[in-house]
Amino acid sequence: MADSTVNKTADIFNKTRLDALLNRRFFYAPAFEIYGGVAGLYDYGPPGSALQANIIAEWRRHFIIEEHMLELDTTIITPAPVFETSGHVARFADWMVKDTKTGDVLRADHLVKGVLEARLAGDKEARGLIAQPVKEDEKKRKKKIKSTAVKLEEEVVNEYESILAQLDNYSGPDLGDLCRKYKITNPDTNNEVGEPQQFNLMFASSIGPTGQHPGYLRPETAQGHFLNFSRLLEFNNGRIPFASAHIGKSFRNEISPRAGLLRVREFTMAEIEHYVDPEDKTHERFDEVRDVWLALLDRDVQTSGRSEVRDMTVGAAVDGGVIANQTLGYFLARIQQFLVKIGVNPSRLRFRQHMGNEMAHYATDCWDAEIHNSSGWTECVGCADRAAYDLSVHSAKTGHQLVARQALKEAIVTERLVPEFNKKTIGKTFGRDCAGLQKAVDALSEEELARLQGELGQGWTVVCVEGKEFTLTSEHVSVERKVFKQSIREYTPNVIEPSFGLGRILYILLEHNFWTREQDVERGVLSLPPIIAPTKVLIVPLSSKEEFVPLVREVSLKLRKAGIYSRVDDSNTSIGKRYARNDELGTPFGVTLDFASVQNRTMTLRERDTTSQLIGNIDEVITVVTDLVEGNIDWAGACKLLSAYDGVQAVE
Amino acid sequence: MADSTVNKTADIFNKTRLDALLNRRFFYAPAFEIYGGVAGLYDYGPPGSALQANIIAEWRRHFIIEEHMLELDTTIITPAPVFETSGHVARFADWMVKDTKTGDVLRADHLVKGVLEARLAGDKEARGLIAQPVKEDEKKRKKKIKSTAVKLEEEVVNEYESILAQLDNYSGPDLGDLCRKYKITNPDTNNEVGEPQQFNLMFASSIGPTGQHPGYLRPETAQGHFLNFSRLLEFNNGRIPFASAHIGKSFRNEISPRAGLLRVREFTMAEIEHYVDPEDKTHERFDEVRDVWLALLDRDVQTSGRSEVRDMTVGAAVDGGVIANQTLGYFLARIQQFLVKIGVNPSRLRFRQHMGNEMAHYATDCWDAEIHNSSGWTECVGCADRAAYDLSVHSAKTGHQLVARQALKEAIVTERLVPEFNKKTIGKTFGRDCAGLQKAVDALSEEELARLQGELGQGWTVVCVEGKEFTLTSEHVSVERKVFKQSIREYTPNVIEPSFGLGRILYILLEHNFWTREQDVERGVLSLPPIIAPTKVLIVPLSSKEEFVPLVREVSLKLRKAGIYSRVDDSNTSIGKRYARNDELGTPFGVTLDFASVQNRTMTLRERDTTSQLIGNIDEVITVVTDLVEGNIDWAGACKLLSAYDGVQAVE
């Protein structure tokens, strides 16, 4: 909504003010606050819940309905064998260290990073240098670890910088070595820390009354899709490609979450698993997004130690091999369209490709949609090519074939040598060794079979099974060339997975749309697009006097009938205060009912960002505001349909 | 949708057929099926997810939006102290017994009930009596425990019947006594069972990496509302009454769940907590529901051993004291309206009041909306008056006052006697005993203060503190009559809680709306109302020929623009088969595009329940089907707007 004509305090983002607003208006708050709270758990209040529900509804429209995806709702509680197979029990872990005296627990990589950065900052201070333009995320971390002005050797500075550049590359033991070598201690207590230990991030529980069935809370919804693959494929009449989608909560027992909604222990995800033929990753709607521009930070640029983003169209990126295939490219474009539609600032959005060493254990390629915010660049959507990993491991473990079958237009004809046993004679001759012998012959290569064929032609051959030799003649077996016709192709589909962290997106949306009025920085505004704003229209009667009641009811009812969510504010404060409250809640439009409404059936319409007002007949205004909310017209369009209103009495 | 004009196989409900349909069409399925499944955990497939999403959307409209409730989304993981305070750690449990040899676990009350009922049935068989019209839920249970034809003593029959009638009254030790006395063994193994033990139904886990913070998965969303009460009240500008609402998952580690979606370990709830002044439980919209008829089974009728339902209007029930107050009555009516709107058969719905001994530990009154289904009467919505229980216990535990404040229109003026101490002289005379002495005097009753006043007037008095006597004179203290003016009333609100188990409702809806075509019982139909049907309109091109593609796209787009969710079925099967599939999916309308469509822009419209068809211009049909889906017209109305179509070529 907010455009350049609005008097904003432009680029000065004040996180303290936003946090105060979000807390005051109960967008969200620490869960169990009156019990002292628990790190990484947050409750959403009424505006936060409505915002989340609207984001989910738009996500459902943009992805599930638009693309005819198959929606699922699978369980959170998952028996342990599933995550043993998927690799999460062994590998879904972070390295932690314990304070040797207090027992406090810290994430090892965060500790090393924080301490070394603080020392480098202290070095700059000691040298009397103004620290280089500090990145916002570093600024924040420094609140935690105070730097002291201590000058370092030139050589040490270089070592620290090199360590920081490759931090994601270190194993747990490496991090332990770093702590010892550089005397890194717990900054809160100055105590030494112990050896890094792996900490699995899944919450464990136990299913049923006997305690014999260990389970976990899922850390992602993905496994629930994969286990249902056969049913989904059947529901889709056996056709590939198709996608399943699931919106639901997932859980990660983070070691020490501190970053508000950006790192939490319980969160709502929206995940898509798109199943494709590994030999054909084109997308039938690719042409619709071919010309969409993306800001790409690819693997090669990063590996060479740089970070400049390249602007490319999806078409050019796929054609040039920067993005691996059309389906990945299609989803990156669709992800961008979704994020921008709900209010993310497109100039603060980029797609970063994972480097080899940081990829999850199941992925073969991965792009993150990263959005810039006061903590730096944050991953909000991952878009991974999981290849056939998951379907393959679950097939192998359960024996249930998670495969697709394709009727071949033209059958594939192949010829090969095949051993044909004479069951009678072979059984008679070899008795209980017979099965092992047959198995050994069946397993021979084409080349070996040819040799066998030759030897049998000359009389006999010897086959060795587990150190024991057997003499075969043409009475026992013959080798013949046979023709095979394959009319069905069976394959394990590959999976492209766009995975959204809705809480992160929600928080960053609030940052991108927050500003304060130039005339009064205490007056915050959230310029949320109407599509996701918790309330679309505020109805403001001049007072709670009896005579306004029927009009308020009429306008409420008509808006509800038009499908527009409105709220009435008939509290006893001034109209200006009521609008200010709703600017903070992100309500894009307000209509005021005053004495003129009672007499002439007129109503004023206020736009949140400009605070400008229009006036018209009640029914006209309802039509205009409906079109505004539905995005059929913008405010400039509305100004052509209704008269400007400059009455001072009513508003501000 | 289905009415009496439809050829249904009327009242013969076939659960096996419905279950097969739900499984075949992937409404839901056992979770982790390819790993062998886990009892009480189910995944919803595409039609089940869509059905659930539509039920939730309608619930949100019917309750949250219509009543301006404050929506919340609170965390599932909850630290242990919260449930210690709420009473769940001590009391949210069932009694279980273990098979002494296999260790299998059974719910004690279910075991006693099952075995005694099987013996009574065996007795009837032995006497050559046809068992009395067996209730459907008993029929099902008997599948598990086989009865054998053994005649019982008359006296024993009476004892068994008396035990069954008061089963909910027995404690764990009582159930253990019954097992011993009547030699009740595990029917699967014939082994003895051990002493009943309490099993807490909450799933336990641990928060954070140190293992020092025990937590639980919530068994209800309610505590999340209560802990946020102060923030909610502030958001509502301090006004009472108001309601908070939360749709989300809850978890109960059931001992041995066996009843499909009716008893599961993970489920979606929708809960409302409506906060009222304990001195005023009227509801401002009560008149809107005063004349709604309810089927009530009240406490008194049940206690007297009967079960006949009384039909009453809500108004009469509240006026007559059957329902305790207007707010409870208002919600019972609104619950009924919701259930009927989404497709519950109103003649199979009743409200049953809890008897004293079965009420949850926090409730002072409770009515269950019970819906009849193939398992008997099942609780689907609870509507409890939790009084001030929860807010009080959390206030007491945390010291955070969860109260409301009311500015009194007229201040309450009271007079009472108050002791006034002369701090100087009292301190001098009594030294360190001074504080205890003052406390004792402050605690005196009005009557005692009057006596003190009299004695002081005569010179002196004696006050006894912990066995020690002190002589006070008017130099130390005086007693005076003072006037107090109270302009704010502070109170703990009471809570009325309607709590919906959405999975149970979803399953029962499917039962109530399932039937089979008279001409072919294999052809199942789900007559789901359009409001909740997973897909509203099926678009059926005669074939997948090129020439239909632009028309299919046009109709799809126009329906999407009208906000109607449609799907295209261009699979290679006959149109009849495609419609049959969609009858099973509950799709209420279908439109067919054939060669006439290409030539004349006509389209046929089919109604699911009657299979009758209309024809008209494409745009006309879109308008009509939009009105049908939105409930503006019914099929009879549609028949007046479009021509009947009797073309045989296209359908069935």
Side-chain angles (χ1 to χ4, degrees):
Chain A
M1 290 298 300
D3 61 22
S4 55
T5 64
V6 175
N7 290 330
K8 289 196 198 182
T9 52
D11 291 317
I12 310 148
F13 171 73
N14 187 319
K15 185 164 164 61
T16 312
R17 280 216 170 83
L18 173 61
D19 285 343
L21 182 162
L22 298 179
N23 187 54
R24 182 168 66 246
R25 297 304 177 202
F26 199 9
F27 273 80
Y28 61 90
F32 319 109
E33 203 177 13
I34 68 172
Y35 277 81
V38 175
L41 294 178
Y42 291 88
D43 290 343
Y44 289 180
S49 297
L51 184 56
Q52 179 182 249
N54 294 342
I55 291 172
I56 288 173
E58 186 51 36
W59 194 90
R60 201 173 252 132
R61 268 193 297 272
H62 187 84
F63 290 104
I64 299 183
I65 295 179
E66 175 68 30
E67 315 246 6
H68 291 293
M69 293 175 177
L70 306 185
E71 190 168 358
L72 285 173
D73 185 12
T74 69
T75 64
I76 288 167
I77 294 182
T78 306
V82 172
F83 288 125
E84 284 160 9
T85 306
S86 69
H88 286 84
V89 169
R91 287 187 295 257
F92 197 72
D94 280 339
W95 292 97
M96 65 172 183
V97 289
K98 272 194 189 172
D99 183 308
T100 48
K101 289 187 184 153
T102 65
D104 288 349
V105 172
L106 301 131
R107 216 176 112 168
D109 56 345
H110 289 181
L111 171 68
V112 170
K113 189 175 183 192
V115 169
L116 297 192
E117 281 177 348
R119 289 185 191 166
L120 288 173
D123 172 66
K124 288 219 177 74
E125 264 178 81
R127 289 168 194 256
L129 297 170
I130 291 163
Q132 289 173 353
V134 182
K135 280 187 214 150
E136 279 155 326
D137 51 344
E138 289 174 350
K139 221 192 294 175
K140 212 185 148 204
R141 200 168 300 112
K142 268 174 214 135
K143 269 189 218 151
K144 301 274 172 210
I145 306 182
K146 230 187 138 201
S147 60
T148 39
V150 176
K151 195 161 174 292
L152 304 170
E153 300 291 319
E154 199 67 44
E155 197 184 331
V156 173
V157 170
N158 291 341
E159 273 180 56
Y160 284 4
E161 281 174 350
S162 153
I163 291 164
L164 289 172
Q166 51 188 312
L167 199 69
D168 290 341
N169 256 337
Y170 293 113
S171 68
D174 292 343
L175 292 166
D177 291 343
L178 291 173
C179 289
R180 272 186 298 277
K181 180 168 180 194
Y182 297 104
K183 300 204 186 333
I184 292 173
T185 56
N186 178 358
D188 296 335
T189 62
N190 240 352
N191 298 330
E192 279 181 25
V193 297
E195 199 53 32
Q197 295 174 312
Q198 256 192 330
F199 175 67
N200 194 293
L201 297 181
M202 291 193 294
F203 284 96
S205 192
S206 172
I207 307 169
T210 60
Q212 290 164 350
H213 300 289
Y216 295 99
L217 307 190
R218 66 177 176 212
E220 56 172 22
T221 72
Q223 304 306 319
H225 303 234
F226 303 139
L227 298 188
N228 285 300
F229 174 74
S230 299
R231 284 183 176 275
L232 289 166
L233 180 63
E234 192 192 337
F235 190 85
N236 204 48
N237 298 322
R239 292 182 188 179
I240 293 263
F242 74 93
S244 55
H246 186 348
I247 304 158
K249 287 220 173 168
S250 292
F251 299 79
R252 295 182 187 178
N253 198 3
E254 296 285 347
I255 292 171
S256 52
R258 286 180 181 178
L261 292 192
L262 296 184
R263 187 170 297 279
V264 292
R265 287 175 165 151
E266 174 174 339
F267 50 97
T268 300
M269 298 181 96
E271 287 194 306
I272 295 164
E273 310 294 338
H274 181 91
Y275 310 91
V276 292
D277 184 337
E279 292 175 10
D280 177 12
K281 295 189 180 178
T282 58
H283 195 288
E284 69 167 337
R285 295 178 70 172
F286 186 70
D287 282 342
E288 294 176 33
V289 302
R290 182 173 275 285
D291 298 327
V292 172
W293 285 87
L294 302 177
L296 300 178
L297 178 55
D298 67 47
R299 186 165 18 210
D300 296 340
V301 168
Q302 295 171 74
T303 312
S304 68
R306 293 168 297 140
S307 64
E308 70 270 15
V309 154
R310 286 197 282 171
D311 287 314
M312 298 178 84
T313 64
V314 184
V318 171
D319 294 345
V322 178
I323 298 172
N325 58 63
Q326 282 195 358
T327 299
L328 257 178
Y330 179 77
F331 277 113
L332 296 189
R334 293 282 296 155
I335 290 165
Q336 172 166 292
Q337 287 170 341
F338 171 74
L339 293 173
V340 171
K341 193 196 289 178
I342 63 171
V344 166
N345 181 344
S347 70
R348 300 176 76 182
L349 172 63
R350 74 180 184 193
F351 290 90
R352 190 179 72 77
Q353 192 174 26
H354 279 207
M355 292 174 284
N357 54 33
E358 66 170 322
M359 209 116 64
H361 64 266
Y362 46 73
T364 59
D365 190 12
C366 186
W367 290 83
D368 287 344
E370 294 186 334
I371 314 179
H372 191 255
N373 62 88
S374 61
S375 302
W377 288 97
T378 301
E379 176 206 343
C380 290
V381 188
C383 194
D385 185 338
R386 297 175 81 129
Y389 175 80
D390 305 273
L391 295 178
S392 303
V393 293
H394 289 302
S395 286
K397 178 73 185 177
T398 63
H400 183 102
Q401 291 307 304
L402 301 173
V403 293
R405 287 176 188 86
Q406 182 190 20
L408 295 171
K409 279 181 190 160
E410 217 167 310
I412 298 172
V413 178
T414 47
E415 280 185 27
R416 62 172 193 272
L417 292 174
V418 180
E420 294 277 336
F421 298 98
N422 183 330
K423 278 179 188 163
K424 216 167 156 183
T425 57
I426 199 173
K428 221 170 181 173
T429 315
F430 301 104
R432 53 198 293 248
D433 290 324
C434 190
L437 183 58
Q438 285 191 41
K439 209 171 156 193
V441 174
D442 279 333
L444 293 176
S445 68
E446 185 83 3
E447 207 175 325
E448 291 165 326
L449 282 172
R451 187 175 52 79
L452 201 73
Q453 192 180 30
E455 292 178 0
L456 285 171
Q458 289 169 14
W460 52 271
T461 183
V462 173
V463 175
C464 185
V465 183
E466 290 176 358
K468 213 170 160 186
E469 290 193 341
F470 299 93
T471 304
L472 289 173
T473 70
S474 54
E475 268 185 31
H476 302 116
V477 68
S478 64
V479 176
E480 278 156 40
R481 180 160 300 274
K482 289 212 166 174
V483 174
F484 291 88
K485 204 170 148 189
Q486 188 196 355
S487 55
I488 299 280
R489 173 178 158 242
E490 196 176 270
Y491 64 93
T492 302
N494 278 15
V495 177
I496 312 283
E497 175 193 79
S499 168
F500 294 68
L502 297 184
R504 290 183 172 188
I505 294 171
L506 181 145
Y507 170 73
I508 290 176
L509 266 184
L510 293 168
E511 271 205 8
H512 284 201
N513 290 283
F514 173 69
W515 53 287
T516 52
R517 302 246 183 242
E518 206 170 43
Q519 62 272 35
D520 179 2
V521 289
E522 293 302 327
R523 294 188 52 190
V525 184
L526 284 172
S527 290
L528 300 171
I531 202 172
I532 56 153
T535 304
K536 315 304 182 191
V537 180
L538 181 75
I539 303 170
V540 193
L542 185 63
S543 76
S544 55
K545 283 215 175 81
E546 278 285 328
E547 55 198 306
F548 294 119
V549 173
L551 271 186
V552 167
R553 193 169 297 156
E554 182 192 334
V555 174
S556 279
L557 206 73
K558 284 183 171 164
L559 284 172
R560 194 186 310 153
K561 199 142 188 219
I564 305 297
Y565 183 57
S566 70
R567 282 191 81 106
V568 177
D569 186 349
D570 58 358
S571 60
N572 282 327
T573 51
S574 73
I575 286 184
K577 275 198 182 139
R578 285 184 261 171
Y579 274 137
R581 177 171 191 261
N582 273 274
D583 289 347
E584 292 197 338
L585 290 167
T587 310
F589 305 105
V591 295
T592 312
L593 293 160
D594 56 16
F595 294 108
S597 310
V598 180
Q599 281 163 19
N600 319 326
R601 289 188 58 79
T602 59
M603 183 160 73
T604 61
L605 171 64
R606 174 192 186 261
E607 197 274 332
R608 172 194 60 204
D609 299 351
T610 57
T611 74
S612 63
Q613 291 185 72
L614 304 175
I615 189 164
N617 172 278
I618 287 180
D619 291 309
E620 278 170 20
V621 172
I622 288 175
T623 307
V624 169
V625 84
T626 302
D627 279 335
L628 281 166
V629 169
E630 290 178 349
N632 302 328
I633 57 171
D634 60 7
W635 187 245
C639 292
K640 286 177 197 148
L641 294 167
L642 299 172
S643 318
Y645 180 69
D646 51 7
V648 238
Q649 146 266 341
V651 184
E652 307 314 308
Chain B
M1 291 299 298
D3 61 21
S4 53
T5 64
V6 176
N7 290 331
K8 290 198 201 182
T9 52
D11 291 315
I12 310 147
F13 171 73
N14 187 320
K15 185 164 164 58
T16 311
R17 280 218 170 82
L18 173 61
D19 285 343
L21 183 161
L22 298 179
N23 187 54
R24 183 168 64 246
R25 297 305 177 199
F26 198 10
F27 273 80
Y28 61 90
F32 320 108
E33 202 176 15
I34 67 171
Y35 277 82
V38 176
L41 293 178
Y42 291 88
D43 290 342
Y44 289 180
S49 297
L51 184 56
Q52 179 182 248
N54 293 342
I55 291 172
I56 288 174
E58 186 50 36
W59 194 90
R60 201 173 249 130
R61 269 193 296 272
H62 187 86
F63 290 105
I64 299 183
I65 294 179
E66 176 68 30
E67 316 246 6
H68 290 294
M69 293 174 175
L70 306 185
E71 190 168 358
L72 285 173
D73 185 12
T74 69
T75 64
I76 288 166
I77 294 182
T78 306
V82 171
F83 288 126
E84 284 160 10
T85 306
S86 68
H88 286 83
V89 170
R91 286 186 295 257
F92 197 72
D94 280 339
W95 292 97
M96 63 173 185
V97 288
K98 272 194 188 170
D99 182 307
T100 48
K101 290 187 184 153
T102 64
D104 288 349
V105 173
L106 301 131
R107 216 176 111 167
D109 55 345
H110 288 181
L111 171 68
V112 170
K113 192 177 180 189
V115 169
L116 296 193
E117 281 177 349
R119 289 185 191 166
L120 287 174
D123 172 65
K124 288 220 178 71
E125 264 178 80
R127 289 167 194 258
L129 296 171
I130 292 162
Q132 289 173 354
V134 183
K135 281 185 213 151
E136 279 154 325
D137 52 343
E138 288 174 350
K139 221 191 297 175
K140 209 183 150 205
R141 198 168 301 112
K142 265 172 219 140
K143 270 189 218 152
K144 300 274 173 209
I145 305 182
K146 229 187 139 203
S147 60
T148 38
V150 175
K151 195 162 175 288
L152 304 170
E153 300 290 318
E154 199 68 45
E155 198 183 331
V156 173
V157 170
N158 290 341
E159 272 179 57
Y160 284 3
E161 282 175 349
S162 153
I163 290 164
L164 289 172
Q166 51 188 310
L167 198 71
D168 289 341
N169 256 336
Y170 292 113
S171 69
D174 292 343
L175 292 167
D177 291 343
L178 290 172
C179 289
R180 272 187 299 276
K181 182 168 178 192
Y182 296 104
K183 301 204 186 332
I184 293 173
T185 56
N186 178 358
D188 296 336
T189 62
N190 238 351
N191 299 329
E192 280 183 26
V193 296
E195 199 55 30
Q197 295 174 313
Q198 257 192 329
F199 176 66
N200 194 293
L201 297 181
M202 290 193 294
F203 283 97
S205 192
S206 172
I207 308 169
T210 60
Q212 290 164 351
H213 299 289
Y216 295 99
L217 306 190
R218 67 180 176 210
E220 57 172 20
T221 72
Q223 304 305 319
H225 303 234
F226 303 139
L227 298 188
N228 284 301
F229 174 74
S230 298
R231 284 185 176 274
L232 290 166
L233 180 64
E234 193 192 335
F235 190 86
N236 204 48
N237 298 321
R239 291 182 188 179
I240 294 260
F242 73 94
S244 54
H246 187 347
I247 303 158
K249 287 220 173 166
S250 292
F251 299 80
R252 295 181 187 178
N253 198 2
E254 296 286 347
I255 291 172
S256 52
R258 287 181 182 179
L261 291 191
L262 296 183
R263 187 171 297 279
V264 291
R265 286 175 165 152
E266 174 173 340
F267 50 97
T268 301
M269 300 181 93
E271 288 195 306
I272 295 164
E273 310 294 337
H274 181 92
Y275 309 90
V276 292
D277 184 337
E279 292 175 8
D280 177 13
K281 295 189 180 178
T282 58
H283 195 288
E284 70 167 337
R285 295 179 69 172
F286 186 70
D287 283 341
E288 295 176 31
V289 302
R290 181 173 277 283
D291 298 328
V292 172
W293 287 86
L294 301 178
L296 300 178
L297 177 56
D298 68 46
R299 186 166 16 210
D300 295 340
V301 168
Q302 296 171 73
T303 313
S304 68
R306 292 168 299 140
S307 64
E308 72 269 15
V309 154
R310 287 195 281 170
D311 286 316
M312 298 179 83
T313 64
V314 184
V318 170
D319 293 347
V322 178
I323 298 172
N325 58 64
Q326 282 193 359
T327 300
L328 257 178
Y330 179 76
F331 277 112
L332 296 189
R334 293 282 296 153
I335 289 165
Q336 172 166 292
Q337 287 170 342
F338 171 74
L339 292 173
V340 172
K341 194 195 291 179
I342 63 171
V344 167
N345 180 345
S347 71
R348 299 175 76 183
L349 171 63
R350 73 180 184 193
F351 290 90
R352 190 179 72 78
Q353 191 174 27
H354 279 207
M355 291 174 284
N357 53 34
E358 67 170 321
M359 210 117 63
H361 64 266
Y362 45 73
T364 61
D365 191 13
C366 187
W367 289 82
D368 287 344
E370 294 186 333
I371 313 180
H372 191 256
N373 62 88
S374 61
S375 303
W377 289 96
T378 301
E379 175 205 344
C380 291
V381 188
C383 194
D385 185 340
R386 297 174 81 127
Y389 175 80
D390 305 272
L391 296 178
S392 303
V393 293
H394 288 301
S395 286
K397 179 71 184 179
T398 62
H400 183 103
Q401 292 306 304
L402 301 173
V403 293
R405 289 176 187 87
Q406 181 189 21
L408 294 170
K409 279 183 188 156
E410 219 168 308
I412 298 172
V413 178
T414 47
E415 280 187 24
R416 63 172 191 269
L417 293 175
V418 179
E420 293 276 334
F421 298 98
N422 183 329
K423 277 178 190 164
K424 213 166 157 185
T425 58
I426 199 172
K428 219 170 182 176
T429 312
F430 301 104
R432 53 196 293 246
D433 291 324
C434 191
L437 184 58
Q438 284 189 41
K439 208 172 154 191
V441 174
D442 279 334
L444 293 176
S445 69
E446 186 83 3
E447 206 176 324
E448 290 165 326
L449 282 172
R451 188 176 52 79
L452 202 73
Q453 190 182 32
E455 292 178 357
L456 285 170
Q458 288 167 15
W460 52 271
T461 183
V462 173
V463 175
C464 185
V465 184
E466 290 176 0
K468 214 168 156 189
E469 290 194 341
F470 300 92
T471 304
L472 290 172
T473 69
S474 53
E475 268 185 32
H476 302 117
V477 67
S478 62
V479 175
E480 278 157 40
R481 178 159 298 274
K482 289 210 165 178
V483 174
F484 292 88
K485 206 171 147 186
Q486 187 196 355
S487 55
I488 300 279
R489 176 181 154 239
E490 198 176 89
Y491 63 93
T492 303
N494 278 15
V495 177
I496 312 284
E497 177 193 78
S499 170
F500 294 68
L502 296 184
R504 290 183 173 187
I505 294 171
L506 182 144
Y507 171 72
I508 290 176
L509 266 184
L510 292 169
E511 270 205 8
H512 283 202
N513 290 283
F514 173 68
W515 52 286
T516 51
R517 301 244 183 245
E518 208 169 43
Q519 62 272 35
D520 179 2
V521 289
E522 294 302 325
R523 294 188 53 191
V525 185
L526 284 172
S527 290
L528 300 171
I531 202 172
I532 57 153
T535 303
K536 315 304 181 191
V537 180
L538 181 75
I539 302 170
V540 192
L542 185 62
S543 76
S544 55
K545 282 217 176 79
E546 278 286 327
E547 54 199 306
F548 293 118
V549 173
L551 270 185
V552 168
R553 194 170 294 156
E554 181 193 335
V555 173
S556 278
L557 207 73
K558 283 183 172 165
L559 284 172
R560 195 187 308 153
K561 204 146 184 212
I564 305 297
Y565 183 56
S566 70
R567 283 192 82 105
V568 177
D569 185 348
D570 57 359
S571 60
N572 282 328
T573 51
S574 73
I575 285 185
K577 275 201 182 137
R578 285 185 260 172
Y579 274 137
R581 177 171 192 262
N582 274 274
D583 289 347
E584 292 197 340
L585 290 167
T587 310
F589 304 105
V591 293
T592 312
L593 292 161
D594 54 18
F595 294 108
S597 308
V598 179
Q599 282 164 18
N600 319 326
R601 288 187 60 78
T602 58
M603 184 161 71
T604 60
L605 172 63
R606 174 193 187 260
E607 198 273 333
R608 172 193 61 204
D609 299 350
T610 57
T611 73
S612 64
Q613 292 184 73
L614 303 176
I615 188 164
N617 173 279
I618 287 180
D619 290 309
E620 278 170 21
V621 172
I622 288 175
T623 307
V624 168
V625 84
T626 303
D627 279 334
L628 281 166
V629 169
E630 289 178 349
N632 301 328
I633 58 171
D634 59 9
W635 186 246
C639 292
K640 286 177 196 148
L641 294 167
L642 299 172
S643 318
Y645 179 69
D646 51 8
V648 238
Q649 145 267 342
V651 183
E652 306 316 306

